[in-house]
Amino acid sequence: MPKRVIPLTDVQVKNAKPKDKDYKLSDGFGLILLVKKTGGKLWHFNYTCGGKQLLLSLGTYPEITLAEARQRREDARKLLAHGINPGDARKAEKQSQTQQKETFEAIALEWYNRQVPVWADTHAATVISRLKRDVFPHVGTRPIAELKATDMLQVFRRIEAREKIETAHRVKSICGQVFRYAVATGRAERDCTVDLRGTLTPVIPKHHAALTEPKDVAPFLRAMDEYQGSFTVKCAMRLSSLVFQRPGELRLAEWTEFDFNSCEWNIPIERMKLKKRLKEARKGEKHLVPLSRQAVEILKTLQPLTGSGKYLFPSMTTNLKPISDNTINQAIRRMGYDKDEMTAHGFRAMARTILEEVLNVRPEIIEHQLAHVVRDALGRAYNRTTHLAARKTMMQTWADYLDGLKSGAKVISLRRQD
């Protein structure tokens, strides 16, 4: 008869002291406590499978208690009763866990979290939204190393089917970055999206609709003056035409940013459309917008109406929030101009085109006023006061030119290249 093993007690396990050599304490049915001469205590399960004597580690004491070790032993014995090697089952489980960590979704989120610190908030929100909506539901749970070009093509085709051709291309670009990150970190062999070149429907370049011919701008300006909607929105449109800043910068404009004495609008750099790392580097700076006489008149007319609040252009429902990002576009639609003719962003293209083509203003002056990153011959970004005198002159010239168009002055068409 086999020798009967007396089960261990919690006290025995706790009080087992190290000796000159490693030694074992048996709990029966294959469960062993190995007491190391260094003081460590390891749980092992001795078993026979396929005619071989094998050993399975069950953890360390006290992290794994005697009761927990016995439960793990019983789990292993159940596997043996069904002809399954517990050691093989352990390896399969670890491989499954590893694959879960290396799924497309897991690696995409890892890549995303590394990029977020240098991205603008709006861009970060767009990227994660596209991944969660268009990619994760279809390939997110699959190991990234197993994904092929055909798998990803199906993802992008679904987006195209919604008539979102440009979005399909953007999502493809995002996925390509995730694959390249996986390659660089040893979780994939290659970026399979490179095999999809030419397979998606081409994107037809489309810019923000804008009126850039003076003969078309003139009636539009008169239509703005005749606008019968909200006076605040009317002022927002008129000011847009004079300062040609981005719609988001205009709708969030605050009264504290305007200096009537110096005729300047100083926009905090944090609100500008810049990469996050540039915003951090230039934190506390402001983008200076010289104000024409006409722009100041609009502001002084608006001030009695909204000047007691924070925003120049508060929402119709509460002065604690600005107008929405689509308010000016809706007003333009009410004036009879559809989205293919003119948009809120189109004021920038209108000014950029006519200032250079008709009024012969130097491009770098215009670009700086548009808050584009403009650099000098030494590669340095111009600061807020660079070309200030020229920009002030340009802004007044532009306002006077628009007044002339409205009043029916002779219209000079754009210069065309033959």
Side-chain angles (χ1 to χ4, degrees):
M1 291 181 64
K3 182 179 179 181
R4 181 174 179 271
V5 177
I6 300 175
L8 297 171
T9 66
D10 288 323
V11 174
Q12 281 180 295
V13 174
K14 181 179 180 181
N15 293 337
K17 305 299 182 184
K19 299 180 180 181
D20 293 339
K21 296 182 179 180
D22 297 350
Y23 66 97
K24 300 175 182 179
L25 297 175
S26 178
D27 186 61
F29 300 103
L31 180 60
I32 298 294
L33 178 68
L34 175 65
V35 183
K36 305 284 288 183
K37 63 181 180 181
T38 56
K41 300 175 184 180
L42 308 176
W43 294 110
H44 287 157
F45 175 56
N46 284 327
Y47 66 100
T48 301
C49 186
K52 295 181 180 180
Q53 192 70 27
L54 301 171
L55 189 71
L56 182 68
S57 175
L58 300 182
T60 62
Y61 178 86
E63 287 78 10
I64 302 301
T65 65
L66 174 58
E68 290 170 333
R70 286 171 174 166
Q71 183 59 56
R72 293 188 177 191
R73 173 191 62 191
E74 293 308 308
D75 293 340
R77 292 183 70 200
K78 288 180 181 178
L79 290 174
L80 283 171
H82 288 84
I84 300 172
N85 185 333
D88 292 342
R90 171 79 61 81
K91 292 177 182 177
E93 182 182 359
K94 286 184 177 180
Q95 184 178 6
S96 175
Q97 291 175 346
T98 299
Q99 287 180 340
Q100 288 178 7
K101 292 179 181 178
E102 296 182 353
T103 62
F104 182 91
E105 180 172 347
I107 294 176
L109 292 175
E110 183 181 321
W111 163 79
Y112 172 81
N113 289 327
R114 287 181 174 274
Q115 304 305 314
V116 164
V118 298
W119 280 348
D121 294 339
T122 52
H123 178 66
T126 298
V127 170
I128 196 63
S129 173
R130 285 171 172 165
L131 285 170
K132 288 181 176 179
R133 181 189 62 209
D134 296 318
V135 185
F136 293 167
H138 308 295
V139 298
T141 59
R142 296 181 58 182
I144 195 167
E146 295 180 5
L147 290 172
K148 297 179 174 57
T150 51
D151 300 316
M152 301 311 298
L153 181 60
Q154 291 179 19
V155 172
F156 308 142
R157 289 286 192 228
R158 288 187 183 96
I159 303 172
E160 282 189 329
R162 303 200 314 261
E163 297 183 357
K164 300 289 184 180
I165 296 173
E166 184 175 356
T167 301
H169 282 268
R170 292 185 184 278
V171 172
K172 175 178 174 289
S173 175
I174 292 170
C175 291
Q177 293 177 67
V178 174
F179 275 106
R180 290 191 290 278
Y181 176 76
V183 172
T185 54
R187 268 84 63 87
E189 292 297 322
R190 61 189 298 274
D191 171 15
C192 65
T193 64
V194 300
D195 298 330
L196 299 179
R197 290 195 182 101
T199 59
L200 298 183
T201 304
V203 175
I204 300 175
K206 187 176 182 180
H207 302 287
H208 293 286
L211 300 172
T212 56
E213 276 286 356
K215 63 181 178 62
D216 298 323
V217 173
F220 177 77
L221 296 174
R222 289 192 282 269
M224 275 201 304
D225 283 350
E226 297 168 2
Y227 179 69
Q228 298 299 308
S230 163
F231 179 72
T232 300
V233 176
K234 179 178 181 177
C235 289
M237 284 194 294
R238 293 181 62 203
L239 196 61
S240 292
S241 68
L242 293 170
V243 298
F244 46 89
Q245 295 303 298
R246 296 181 180 89
E249 294 156 6
L250 185 83
R251 76 180 188 88
L252 293 171
E254 300 178 14
W255 282 108
T256 55
E257 298 165 2
F258 290 83
D259 186 337
F260 290 164
N261 292 325
S262 60
C263 298
E264 293 175 357
W265 174 20
N266 290 280
I267 308 175
I269 207 71
E270 292 78 11
R271 209 167 70 233
M272 303 296 292
K273 184 182 178 182
L274 292 172
K275 292 183 178 179
K276 187 172 288 188
R277 62 176 178 271
L278 291 179
K279 288 186 179 181
E280 288 297 324
R282 299 176 59 186
K283 191 173 182 179
E285 292 185 23
K286 299 179 184 297
H287 172 62
L288 190 153
V289 180
L291 299 173
S292 63
R293 181 185 70 259
Q294 293 87 332
V296 172
E297 289 175 358
I298 293 172
L299 292 170
K300 288 183 176 180
T301 302
L302 180 65
Q303 194 172 37
L305 183 63
T306 68
S308 60
K310 178 180 180 180
Y311 298 106
L312 267 69
F313 310 112
S315 165
M316 293 288 289
T317 56
T318 172
N319 62 2
L320 299 179
K321 294 182 179 180
I323 56 176
S324 75
D325 54 6
N326 200 39
T327 299
I328 293 181
N329 279 325
Q330 291 173 340
I332 294 173
R333 302 292 88 78
R334 289 185 62 183
M335 288 163 48
Y337 290 83
D338 64 38
K339 63 181 180 180
D340 295 323
E341 292 179 288
M342 184 61 181
T343 62
H345 207 282
F347 287 109
R348 291 168 63 78
M350 175 195 295
R352 175 67 179 82
T353 304
I354 297 177
L355 280 168
E356 181 178 3
E357 296 293 321
V358 178
L359 300 180
N360 301 313
V361 177
R362 285 161 40 207
E364 65 268 24
I365 306 297
I366 306 169
E367 291 297 303
H368 194 81
Q369 197 52 56
L370 288 167
H372 291 163
V373 177
V374 184
R375 298 184 179 276
D376 61 17
L378 298 178
R380 300 170 301 195
Y382 287 143
N383 62 42
R384 65 191 295 271
T385 59
T386 299
H387 299 306
L388 181 56
R391 288 193 282 131
K392 285 185 175 182
T393 299
M394 176 186 71
M395 298 300 273
Q396 189 58 56
T397 299
W398 173 245
D400 293 340
Y401 174 79
L402 294 184
D403 280 349
L405 283 182
K406 279 194 295 185
S407 63
K410 182 179 178 181
V411 173
I412 302 175
S413 296
L414 299 183
R415 291 180 280 118
R416 299 296 184 188
Q417 297 291 333
D418 294 330

